[in-house]
Amino acid sequence: MKKCIFLLFTVVLFVASCTHSDEERAHVLKIYNWADYIDEGVLEGFPAWYKEQTGEEVRIVYQLFDINEIMLTKIELGKEDFDLVCPSEYIIERMLKKDLLLPIDQDFGRTPNYIRNVSPYIRAQLDKLSQPGRRATDYVVAYMWGTAGILYNKKYVPREDVLSWGVLWNPKYAGRILMKDSYRDAYGTAIIYAHAGELARGEVTVEQLMNDNSPEAMELAETYLKRMKPNIAGWETDFGKEMMTKGKGWLNFTWSGDAVWAMNEAELVGVELGYEVPLEGSNIWYDGWAIPKYAKNVKAASYFMNYLCRSDIALLNMESIGYVSAVATEEVLEAKKDSTVAGTYDLSYFFGKGADSVHIDPVQYPDYSVVERCAMIRDFGDDTGRVLEMWSRVKGDNLNTGIVVLIFIVFGLLFVWVIYRRIQKSRYKQRHFSRRKKWLR
C-alpha cells in the first residue's frame, strides 16, 4: 500500500520542480510509474549514487499512473517530458510501432553495465516485440514479470479444481469469484478455456490462441465470458487481493505478484491461500522501463535503468512490492532460495545452468513446465477497438434478470409519479383560475 511519507516525498519533489528554471532541467529526472511499484529507499538512494558515478546532481520528480493507456496518451500528445516510463509489454510494442521511444545509451563510463544482469530469457521474450529497425531491448530494460493465474482459498476450494480454468465457469462457486477488470487477460483466459481440448491434443498453442484477433475468436471469447459472468461477484482492479485475505472471496483471477502479497497478508490473519496457473496455460506478462522521445534527461534516465539492474536494488524492489525482477544473477538466486519450500523447481530457463533443481517460491519463480505452457499476449493493434467493444458488452450485461426487472419497476413508478404530479398541478391551476374568475366577477 502507498505510504503517507512516500506520497509526501512525491508531492514535495513535484512542487519543488515547479520553482526551478528550464536551465536546470538537466538536473531533474522525471519518472512516471505505477503505484506501489518501487521501493522508497531505491528512489531516495539514486541521487547520491548518480553523483558518485557522474559527479552530477539530480533530483527526482516522481508521478504515478494506474492505466497503461493513460500513460501512453500523455506520451503521444508530447505535452509531458517524462524521462522514464514503465509500460507493460503490449504498450511497449505499440510505442515501438509509433516510434515513441529513444534508444538507451549503455555507455556508462567507469560504471559497470548492470543491464546485462537481465535474464537472457526475458530479453528474448521482449525482443519478440521488436519492429523493423528497432530491436526492443535497445529501447527497453525489463523490470518485473510474472504469470496470470488463480488465487484461491484452500478452506473452500480444493487444489484440483483450480488446475483448470473451468473453475471460473463452475456454478458451485457462483458469487465467490473475483475477476480482474482486464479485457486482455479475460480474453486470453476465455479463448484458452474454449480450446482446452485442442490444447490437450497439441493441435494449437496458447500463443496462437491468445493472439488470434479474428472475428470468430472474439465472438467465441464473448460467448464464454458471458457464460462465466453469472458466477462473478465483482470485476476488480486492485481490491480482489484484499477481499481474498479477509476470506470474502474464494477465487480470484489475479497476477502472481498480487498473489504473493495476498498470501503473505492472509497468513497473518489465519487465512490460507494458494495460487495456481491452470494446466491449459496462461499469460506471462512483462513490464519494462523506457525513455520517451520527448525526454529531457536521457543520461540520468539511462543511469537509473542501470541502477535498477543491480542485484541489491532488484532484491530491495522485490521485497517491497512482491513482484519478481528480471535480474537473474547468482546473488539474486541465492537470496531467493528457500529451504522451507518442500519441492524443487527448474529455473534453468531464467538463471541458467545449475538452477534446474531449486528450493524456491514457485509463485514468484514458476517452474519451467509452467512457463512452457504460457505465452505473452501481444498488442491487439487495430483490433483493440473491437476487443474493447466486446468487453463492454460483456460487462454491460452484468445485471441479472431480477435486478433488471426491479430497475424497470422503479423507473415505472417514477414515471407514474411524475405524471400524477403534473395532473395534480394542472388541476390546482384550473381550480385557482376558476376561483379567480369568480372573484373578479
Side-chain angles (χ1 to χ4, degrees):
M1 303 297 289
K2 296 189 289 292
K3 300 179 178 63
C4 294
I5 295 176
F6 184 44
L7 288 176
L8 180 61
F9 171 69
T10 301
V11 172
V12 168
L13 286 175
F14 178 73
V15 173
S17 71
C18 298
T19 65
H20 288 69
S21 64
D22 290 339
E23 286 75 18
E24 294 187 12
R25 180 64 176 84
H27 299 293
V28 175
L29 177 63
K30 294 182 67 175
I31 300 174
Y32 201 26
N33 191 18
W34 300 88
D36 310 318
Y37 212 37
I38 198 167
D39 180 79
E40 297 172 24
V42 168
L43 275 181
E44 293 167 357
F46 176 72
W49 181 83
Y50 184 71
K51 188 173 182 179
E52 287 176 3
Q53 306 307 311
T54 66
E56 299 174 15
E57 301 280 352
V58 70
R59 295 182 299 107
I60 293 177
V61 174
Y62 191 80
Q63 296 183 54
L64 305 175
F65 67 87
D66 57 3
I67 299 176
N68 267 300
E69 285 74 10
I70 289 177
M71 176 276 296
L72 178 61
T73 298
K74 288 191 176 185
I75 300 304
E76 285 182 305
L77 292 175
K79 295 181 179 180
E80 297 281 357
D81 59 340
F82 293 112
D83 301 308
L84 273 176
V85 294
C86 187
S88 299
E89 72 292 310
Y90 73 103
I91 295 295
I92 291 172
E93 185 173 14
R94 202 176 300 179
M95 295 177 90
L96 286 169
K97 287 177 182 176
K98 296 183 177 185
D99 194 20
L100 293 174
L101 301 177
L102 296 176
I104 303 163
D105 182 4
Q106 296 193 34
D107 181 6
F108 299 114
R110 62 184 179 84
T111 305
N113 187 339
Y114 298 110
I115 292 174
R116 294 170 184 160
N117 289 339
V118 172
S119 171
Y121 164 77
I122 302 291
R123 291 202 299 267
Q125 293 302 306
L126 284 184
D127 274 336
K128 292 180 179 180
L129 308 174
S130 300
Q131 302 299 309
R134 288 191 286 276
R135 187 175 67 175
T137 48
D138 290 337
Y139 294 79
V140 179
V141 172
Y143 183 48
M144 299 286 166
W145 69 288
T147 58
I150 300 174
L151 181 68
Y152 67 102
N153 189 315
K154 293 185 176 181
K155 180 179 179 180
Y156 304 107
V157 184
R159 179 175 179 268
E160 54 267 25
D161 279 9
V162 297
L163 293 179
S164 170
W165 287 117
V167 70
L168 300 179
W169 280 263
N170 191 334
K172 179 171 68 172
Y173 300 114
R176 297 292 185 175
I177 302 173
L178 298 164
M179 187 74 180
K180 273 280 177 279
D181 187 1
S182 166
Y183 71 94
R184 289 167 50 79
D185 291 293
Y187 181 89
T189 300
I191 208 70
I192 286 173
Y193 182 58
H195 292 278
E198 293 94 320
L199 283 166
R201 294 190 294 271
E203 298 170 1
V204 68
T205 67
V206 166
E207 186 170 18
Q208 289 170 335
L209 289 174
M210 291 194 303
N211 294 295
D212 180 358
N213 306 334
S214 66
E216 296 79 13
M218 289 192 188
E219 183 179 353
L220 183 62
E222 181 174 351
T223 297
Y224 269 76
L225 287 172
K226 285 182 175 179
R227 288 179 188 171
M228 177 181 70
K229 191 173 50 181
N231 292 346
I232 305 303
W235 307 97
E236 56 93 10
T237 54
D238 194 47
F239 67 80
K241 57 187 180 184
E242 294 186 10
M243 295 288 284
M244 292 294 292
T245 63
K246 297 173 182 177
K248 294 183 178 179
W250 292 359
L251 293 155
N252 180 205
F253 175 98
T254 193
W255 301 303
S256 51
D258 282 354
V260 170
W261 181 90
M263 291 166 74
N264 291 336
E265 291 294 311
E267 186 177 5
L268 298 176
V269 294
V271 175
E272 189 176 7
L273 301 179
Y275 175 83
E276 293 290 341
V277 176
L279 296 176
E280 294 97 345
S282 186
N283 169 32
I284 286 191
W285 55 266
Y286 308 91
D287 290 339
W289 291 97
I291 305 173
K293 66 186 301 182
Y294 302 110
K296 298 290 181 63
N297 196 344
V298 175
K299 179 179 179 179
S302 298
Y303 269 82
F304 188 81
M305 288 188 281
N306 194 33
Y307 170 73
L308 291 177
C309 293
R310 282 173 37 180
S311 298
D312 58 332
I313 299 299
L315 286 167
L316 280 173
N317 277 329
M318 281 193 282
E319 181 67 25
S320 177
I321 68 176
Y323 284 91
V324 177
S325 171
V327 171
T329 61
E330 282 292 329
E331 293 85 353
V332 170
L333 176 59
E334 288 303 314
K336 299 305 291 183
K337 285 180 179 179
D338 186 352
S339 59
T340 66
V341 174
T344 60
Y345 299 91
D346 182 0
L347 302 181
S348 57
Y349 70 92
F350 186 80
F351 287 107
K353 295 179 180 179
D356 58 351
S357 183
V358 183
H359 292 277
I360 201 166
D361 182 357
V363 178
Q364 287 193 314
Y365 289 98
D367 185 80
Y368 176 68
S369 63
V370 175
V371 170
E372 196 175 27
R373 64 177 185 261
C374 296
M376 174 171 53
I377 303 178
R378 303 287 295 277
D379 178 28
F380 286 117
D382 295 337
D383 295 317
T384 301
R386 289 195 298 117
V387 181
L388 287 171
E389 289 174 6
M390 178 275 289
W391 185 232
S392 179
R393 287 193 298 271
V394 168
K395 293 206 309 172
D397 186 28
N398 201 31
L399 298 175
N400 63 40
T401 304
I403 295 176
V404 173
V405 170
L406 179 61
I407 290 173
F408 274 106
I409 290 173
V410 170
F411 274 99
L413 291 173
L414 285 173
F415 179 76
V416 171
W417 173 252
V418 170
I419 297 298
Y420 171 75
R421 292 295 297 167
R422 286 183 178 179
I423 293 173
Q424 289 291 94
K425 191 173 183 180
S426 176
R427 287 176 178 174
Y428 171 79
K429 287 182 177 180
Q430 288 178 357
R431 288 197 299 269
H432 180 72
F433 182 72
S434 297
R435 285 196 298 270
R436 191 164 181 267
K437 283 177 66 178
K438 289 178 182 180
W439 182 77
L440 288 172
R441 288 176 187 166

